[in-house]
Amino acid sequence: ASSSTSVGGAILLENTGNTGAGFIIYSNAGASSGRLMNIRADNIAFDQAAFHIDYDGTSNAFEILQNSTDSSSNAISVTSINPNDTAVGIIGQETGKGTVKITHKYTGTADTNASAMSILLDGTSAGTAAQGIFIDSTAAQPTTGNLLTIKNNAVNELTLSSAGVLSTAGDIIPTVSDAASLGTTSLMWSDLFLASGAVINFNAGDVTITHSLNTLTVVGGDLVLPAAGLTI
């Protein structure tokens, strides 16, 4: 009846005097109709964890080594049918490392279609409105660090600050020409800042506006002014 992790229990294995493993299940069987271990808590009033680990050592509290090469075999498979809470909850108190770290290792063969993390929003036939990635800081003192930092070879390629400032080291390019807008008629950007020598290029060079010191040069077409003229 005790909830202790060191005394009591229907089965207690005391392994203090043993330098080897405390509990081993081994099987060299082929096809089987049963798992090597099953845990089931079948009463909805049961309010304890079905599996619990307390660990004070220097290695890993939980390890899985997946040797299978089957395309349908996952090292960890978690399925939840509870619509009211998270399928996997992870809490960490790190000061210099990520709460979750995912490492994709190159195996020496082509891995163009691989990814360190893949997210599938499965709406089946009814469709889904779920968000792919949701980031929030709900504490009384929210984060002052970046909400998102993407690096490549230790270089910041894309960052999103806690104030919503998006910074990129590269270009922002639409996937289809003449299909996306920068702002809308009701949600407009306030200012546009361009560096010295900047070029505004219309239709792949049909008309360009180029800046130089105190000068804007229009090339490739006419500059049409209102009939009432230009007021300076």
Side-chain angles (χ1 to χ4, degrees):
S2 173
S3 62
S4 171
T5 56
S6 58
V7 298
I11 297 176
L12 173 63
L13 299 178
E14 170 58 63
N15 195 51
T16 303
N18 181 25
T19 58
F23 183 69
I24 294 177
I25 299 177
Y26 172 78
S27 173
N28 195 30
S32 175
S33 60
R35 304 173 181 89
L36 290 181
M37 178 181 289
N38 284 320
I39 299 175
R40 179 169 182 169
D42 209 22
N43 192 320
I44 61 173
F46 186 75
D47 61 355
Q48 301 295 317
F51 188 73
H52 177 83
I53 297 175
D54 275 345
Y55 185 77
D56 293 329
T58 59
S59 185
N60 300 316
F62 187 70
E63 292 182 336
I64 295 178
L65 176 60
Q66 164 74 301
N67 291 317
S68 173
T69 58
D70 191 275
S71 61
S72 61
S73 176
N74 299 320
I76 299 178
S77 178
V78 177
T79 301
S80 173
I81 59 174
N82 180 4
N84 299 312
D85 206 352
T86 303
V88 178
I90 300 176
I91 299 174
Q93 301 184 50
E94 303 77 20
T95 58
K97 295 186 177 181
T99 300
V100 176
K101 182 176 182 179
I102 300 174
T103 301
H104 169 75
K105 297 189 69 174
Y106 177 57
T107 63
T109 58
D111 59 358
T112 304
N113 293 323
S115 63
M117 182 173 64
S118 177
I119 298 175
L120 173 64
L121 302 179
D122 186 2
T124 62
S125 60
T128 179
Q131 301 168 78
I133 297 177
F134 178 81
I135 301 174
D136 193 9
S137 178
T138 58
Q141 296 295 326
T143 183
T144 57
N146 288 336
L147 295 175
L148 180 67
T149 299
I150 298 178
K151 290 188 174 186
N152 193 17
N153 198 24
V155 176
N156 282 1
E157 300 293 350
L158 182 71
T159 60
L160 178 62
S161 76
S162 59
V165 178
L166 181 66
S167 302
T168 175
D171 301 328
I172 299 177
I173 303 174
T175 56
V176 179
S177 182
D178 197 23
S181 301
L182 189 62
T184 68
T185 56
S186 59
L187 295 172
M188 297 163 278
W189 298 100
S190 61
D191 300 295
L192 177 65
F193 297 89
L194 300 177
S196 180
V199 178
I200 301 177
N201 189 321
F202 297 91
N203 194 25
D206 176 54
V207 177
T208 62
I209 301 176
T210 304
H211 168 268
S212 58
L213 185 61
N214 297 323
T215 303
L216 288 176
T217 302
V218 179
V219 175
D222 299 327
L223 179 62
V224 179
L225 302 176
L230 178 65
T231 300
I232 300 179

